[in-house]
Amino acid sequence: MMELQRPAALLTAVILMVVCSTAEPDDVKLVGGSSRCAGTVKVFHTGEWRSVAAVQWSIKDAAVVCRQLDCGSAVAAPRRSSSGPESPWSVQIECEGSESALRECRSSYQDIWYRAEVICSEPADVRMVGGSSRCAGDLEMFNSGEWRKTRSFGWPLRAAAVVCRQLDCGSVAFAINKRSGMELSRRNIGVKCTGSESALRECWNTYDRGYQLEVICSDVKLVDGSSRCAGTVMLYDKKWRTVEGNAWSMKDAAVVCRQLDCGSAVAVTNQYLEMTTYEDDVRISCSGSESGLKECAVHDISWSLSSAGVICSGQQEATTAAVQKEKQSWSPCSPGLKSSRVWSEELERS
């Protein structure tokens, strides 16, 4: 009899272990983003998933979310206006930044006006290093357990377009292959993309040495102006959206100029639209100290009477610096080099 009871006891123990391991459901998730590590914060509270109010939402709160989800470090903590059906009450969270889970932070109920969002650094197999933000710098891919320098075979703009799309960084502002030094003991990665891939891993790739792709993406651009540092403001949020101009201010314009490396804001412009409405426009409200427009409060609106514009001080300096950089990095025999006119035309078509 004892021999018959042992398997039953063991089976009971196994069953109990499985039940216990799943007894506590996940109580935080990110939805509506480009990956499981980016999006709107949802917490499971009193039997339902609730949004987190972003009245005092900060990078410290975002850091706890990324830590709990095993998504690396917090890159940004955007706020977005509440639109569509919501629970009558959302949860207000206040963290010190050192907590291991959001449930350890102080919480209370709050009417929801702005929803908290998070962008975490991982998991990812692509990153840009050495730039002014996560959307600019030298391209690296994670391969065989380590980060490797990566270059583009053929036209660099195509690979850069895939990178900007994968990292949810808008469109390409600059892309160039440059010498990275001959490290004979270290293998880099070379990729060849069509430009339509959703991630760099989908491109053809092989080991390579000697060159590295530098990319600058931007989720903000200025259109219909005299240069890239003047014009109507467009914000990329899964598609390019017009920024409403009625409440547009110099504080908002200063953030745009800083993000585009265009110096300081000289003037704001409002282009009034004659009985014209736009779908999915946005209203922006910045303090003026943010490094990018998505760090400001973003309010979804269905229509607007005017579009926001800006004139920055550094338009000539920014253009000159880009040209000098290209001259220093390339020679007439460098692979992938095209004239500035062709480069600009291809950039516009992308």
Side-chain angles (χ1 to χ4, degrees):
M1 294 294 294
M2 292 297 294
E3 292 182 359
L4 293 176
Q5 291 176 357
R6 283 178 183 174
L10 289 173
L11 180 61
T12 302
V14 171
I15 294 174
L16 288 174
M17 288 177 65
V18 172
V19 171
C20 291
S21 65
T22 58
E24 185 179 9
D26 292 337
D27 58 358
V28 63
K29 63 182 179 180
L30 301 178
V31 300
S34 57
S35 72
R36 74 172 190 88
C37 293
T40 302
V41 183
K42 294 283 188 176
V43 295
F44 194 77
H45 189 72
T46 61
E48 63 178 308
W49 287 101
R50 298 174 183 265
S51 294
V52 173
V55 178
Q56 297 178 345
W57 187 248
S58 70
I59 199 71
K60 292 192 296 184
D61 307 314
V64 177
V65 174
C66 295
R67 184 179 303 119
Q68 182 175 355
L69 294 177
D70 194 22
C71 285
S73 58
V75 173
R79 298 181 295 161
R80 181 168 299 280
S81 63
S82 177
S83 59
E86 291 281 350
S87 174
W89 294 98
S90 62
V91 181
Q92 174 71 36
I93 302 289
E94 293 183 54
C95 303
E96 297 295 330
S98 58
E99 297 88 346
S100 59
L102 214 58
R103 73 181 77 91
E104 299 174 10
C105 304
R106 295 185 298 274
S107 63
S108 61
Y109 286 117
Q110 174 77 41
D111 280 326
I112 187 163
W113 292 93
Y114 289 95
R115 302 191 305 268
E117 296 187 352
V118 171
I119 300 174
C120 306
S121 62
E122 303 290 348
D125 56 2
V126 171
R127 69 180 183 184
M128 288 186 278
V129 298
S132 58
S133 72
R134 74 178 188 91
C135 295
D138 296 335
L139 179 63
E140 293 186 349
M141 285 188 70
F142 195 76
N143 178 272
S144 300
E146 63 179 307
W147 289 101
R148 299 177 185 268
K149 297 178 180 180
T150 304
R151 66 164 290 184
S152 171
F153 293 119
W155 188 214
L157 192 63
R158 293 175 180 173
V162 177
V163 173
C164 295
R165 184 181 304 119
Q166 181 176 354
L167 296 179
D168 196 23
C169 286
S171 60
V172 184
F174 182 83
I176 194 170
N177 280 320
K178 63 181 186 180
R179 291 191 179 277
S180 63
M182 295 297 292
E183 301 177 53
L184 297 179
S185 62
R186 184 182 180 87
R187 293 190 296 182
N188 299 339
I189 301 292
V191 298
K192 187 174 183 179
C193 307
T194 65
S196 60
E197 296 88 350
S198 60
L200 205 62
R201 72 181 77 92
E202 299 173 9
C203 302
W204 178 87
N205 65 81
T206 187
Y207 288 113
D208 181 66
R209 291 189 178 94
Y211 284 89
Q212 184 170 23
L213 181 63
E214 180 181 0
V215 179
I216 300 176
C217 308
S218 180
D219 55 18
V220 172
K221 65 180 179 180
L222 302 178
V223 300
D224 301 329
S226 57
S227 76
R228 75 171 190 88
C229 292
T232 301
V233 182
M234 303 290 289
L235 177 68
Y236 187 84
D237 183 25
K238 297 183 175 60
K239 64 179 180 178
W240 287 105
R241 307 174 70 181
T242 303
V243 176
E244 190 261 347
N246 288 349
W248 188 248
S249 70
M250 286 293 286
K251 290 182 179 179
D252 308 317
V255 177
V256 172
C257 295
R258 182 181 304 119
Q259 182 174 356
L260 294 178
D261 195 22
C262 286
S264 58
V266 174
V268 296
T269 61
N270 294 314
Q271 181 180 353
Y272 286 91
L273 310 171
E274 296 181 2
M275 303 301 293
T276 304
T277 61
Y278 289 85
E279 294 183 357
D280 298 328
D281 289 1
V282 291
R283 181 178 295 133
I284 303 292
S285 178
C286 305
S287 67
S289 60
E290 297 88 348
S291 60
L293 213 55
K294 281 192 174 179
E295 296 178 16
C296 305
V298 180
H299 184 82
D300 296 320
I301 57 176
S302 59
W303 60 276
S304 62
L305 296 175
S306 66
S307 58
V310 62
I311 299 173
C312 305
S313 66
Q315 49 185 313
Q316 184 60 45
E317 291 83 348
T319 303
T320 302
V323 172
Q324 287 297 114
K325 190 172 190 178
E326 184 172 344
K327 287 181 178 179
Q328 293 170 2
S329 300
W330 288 93
S331 70
C333 298
S334 297
L337 180 65
K338 294 189 179 183
S339 68
S340 297
R341 179 181 62 81
V342 175
W343 184 81
S344 298
E345 289 175 355
E346 183 108 8
L347 196 60
E348 285 299 318
R349 288 198 297 270
S350 68

